[in-house]
Amino acid sequence: METKKYASIKEYIADFPENVATILNKIRECIQKSAPNAEETISYNMPAFKQKKVLVYFAAYKNHIGFYALPSGNKAFQEEISKYKTGKGSIQFPLNEDIPYELIKKIVEFRVMEINE
């Protein structure tokens, strides 16, 4: 089976059940508020926001939301993200727990500051 190629974040979110789509839309809004000059795009077939370069990516999976703040975003917030499963530049927010929207905003603001320096 061929993987669907998304053309927009709106199209990506529309493919998920309502409960997951609601979370994805809230994450999108957090990013828009924290990075008002960022451009929405699809990169690696995932929603992404760019400002000079990619700030963050996010994606929905069966049991979690993947949030990709690149290694620098994870390093800067090591303590705050320690309760989540992480990779070098990824954080997994379980769908059966509250999504930390305020933390997402802080990470995005950090990435904006970092890119503008």
Side-chain angles (χ1 to χ4, degrees), residues 35-39 49-55 112 115-116:
N37 298 322
E39 170 192 345
F49 280 79
K50 284 191 339 191
Q51 191 167 309
K52 299 180 189 166
K53 50 177 113 169
V54 174
L55 294 169
V112 169
I115 285 173
N116 286 332

Side-chain angles (χ1 to χ4, degrees), residues 69-81 87-89 91 110 114:
L70 311 176
S72 62
N74 280 23
K75 271 188 205 162
F77 293 89
Q78 268 181 310
E79 191 174 312
E80 292 95 329
I81 66 172
K88 185 176 178 184
I91 310 164
F110 168 81
E114 183 179 50

Side-chain angles (χ1 to χ4, degrees), residues 92-108:
Q92 291 184 11
F93 299 125
L95 288 171
N96 64 352
E97 294 178 19
D98 291 339
I99 303 296
Y101 299 109
E102 286 303 314
L103 176 59
I104 290 170
K105 285 181 189 175
K106 287 181 193 175
I107 293 170
V108 173

